[in-house]
Amino acid sequence: MPRMGYTILAIIIGFFSVFGIILNTTVIVVTLKHRQLRQPLNFALVNLAVADLGCAMFGGLPTTVTNAMGYFSLGRVGCVLEGFAVAFFGIAGLCSVAIIAVERCLVVCRPVGSVAFQSRHAVAGVVLAWVWSFLWNTPPLFGWGSYELEGVQTSCAPDWYSRNWANVSYIMCYFLLCFALPFSIIIISYTRLLWALRQVSRLKMSEGGSTTRAETQVACMVVVMVMAFLLTWLPYAAFALSVIFDPNLYIDPVIATVPMYLAKSSTVFNPIIYIFMNRQFRERAVPFLLCGRNPWAAEPGESEQDTTVTTIGGSSRVSPSPTPTHG
């Protein structure tokens, strides 16, 4: 690739890395400053910010440097460490997205008399995300699979190209358990949530009411979340799977780099979609970033209550709730 190509890639990944660090650091700092945000339902959101911050710092910044230099300058040990860090934080973030979907589904769709969502449930979800990621990203350090240079040879990732049985078996397990499984959980959880919203709409229509703006907003948010997930992760997973199933398939290194950068761009998209579209976080994070100013501040006469969907007495209804919601 021409020298200018590496410079362009350095600018792109540098942009995503810097803004990812700024946005995710803001989420963490604002949460620590405001006690109201330290609620069980927000644990997975903050955990997602921590994972994205780690991915931007230990994956995005080194890749920016190596692209600026035009070659991978960190050596074999640096390749393994960078590949492990990106995969470790990336899969932890991916698992956090799945846990967020499950939490929202449980809160909205849980039956009457079920156990309320508490801190121990939130902590268990956070711990599960990190343990699961660690469990499936350490095998290459011990010989099952490996971390190798990818794309234009300026960053490292799990080896998708080696055809030996040990590597292929690892990649297949990795794909199924670290991508297909979280994706299935996200789809099932949000499908059930949308079904619950549909039941609310039918009930209100039968009572002579109409669907609320909150229901429409939640439905739109679900679509945005799923589409963002597909945009950032599906190309990378499809690329990896194609290489695995067709060892003779040739993909231009420059084209192969695009899915990798899309996956890394999730460090910017995630805080915007899951955090800054969440009113509670936004009303505290925007003034933090803009030195006290908030162009999106609520009007004096606007209600400060969020809206959530609950199930009461076996039938669904929409009611105002002072408790934190996920957007």
Side-chain angles (χ1 to χ4, degrees), residues 54-321:
C55 193
M57 292 183 63
F58 298 104
L61 292 183
T63 303
T64 301
V65 173
T66 55
N67 274 312
M69 298 180 68
Y71 67 99
F72 192 83
S73 57
L74 304 180
R76 177 57 190 168
V77 174
C79 177
V80 173
L81 292 178
E82 191 235 358
F84 171 78
V86 172
F88 177 61
F89 287 109
I91 297 303
L94 198 55
C95 291
S96 297
V97 173
I99 290 170
I100 290 169
V102 172
E103 289 179 351
R104 290 176 172 174
C105 182
L106 290 177
V107 170
V108 171
C109 305
R110 70 176 187 270
V112 177
S114 63
V115 179
F117 191 80
Q118 300 175 359
S119 296
R120 67 175 183 271
H121 303 125
V123 171
V126 169
V127 171
L128 176 62
W130 291 104
V131 170
W132 191 254
S133 180
F134 183 81
L135 178 66
W136 288 105
N137 284 297
T138 51
L141 303 178
F142 301 98
W144 189 29
S146 63
Y147 293 109
E148 301 291 344
L149 290 170
E150 61 178 353
V152 292
Q153 309 292 292
T154 54
S155 62
C156 291
D159 184 9
W160 310 110
Y161 296 95
S162 177
R163 306 312 305 166
N164 68 75
W165 172 245
N167 189 76
V168 172
S169 62
Y170 169 74
I171 292 300
M172 291 299 295
C173 291
Y174 193 80
F175 175 85
L176 292 174
L177 298 174
C178 294
F179 175 79
L181 180 60
F183 177 68
S184 300
I185 291 173
I186 291 169
I187 294 298
I188 293 172
S189 298
Y190 282 135
T191 298
R192 187 178 178 192
L193 188 150
L194 287 176
W195 181 84
L197 290 176
R198 181 61 178 169
Q199 294 300 105
V200 171
S201 300
R202 288 179 177 177
L203 179 62
K204 291 182 68 66
M205 293 296 290
S206 66
E207 295 175 349
S210 61
T211 57
T212 65
R213 184 178 65 175
E215 295 171 34
T216 303
Q217 289 176 339
V218 172
C220 291
M221 279 293 295
V222 169
V223 173
V224 170
M225 291 168 187
V226 174
M227 292 302 296
F229 179 90
L230 294 177
L231 173 66
T232 54
W233 286 102
L234 186 58
Y236 191 60
F239 158 76
L241 207 59
S242 299
V243 172
I244 293 172
F245 282 121
D246 187 357
N248 298 319
L249 178 66
Y250 173 78
I251 301 178
D252 186 272
V254 177
I255 296 177
T257 300
V258 175
M260 304 164 194
Y261 280 40
L262 282 175
K264 292 178 180 178
S265 70
S266 64
T267 60
V268 173
F269 294 147
N270 284 338
I272 292 176
I273 294 173
Y274 290 92
I275 308 297
F276 287 90
M277 290 181 71
N278 180 321
R279 183 175 175 181
Q280 287 188 319
F281 274 100
R282 183 177 67 246
E283 290 183 347
R284 293 164 176 82
V286 172
F288 176 82
L289 287 172
L290 301 182
C291 301
R293 293 174 296 172
N294 185 2
W296 297 281
E299 295 296 330
E302 185 177 345
S303 172
E304 293 299 320
Q305 290 182 320
D306 291 325
T307 304
T308 185
V309 180
T310 58
T311 52
I312 297 178
S315 62
S316 301
R317 69 182 180 91
V318 176
S319 61
S321 172

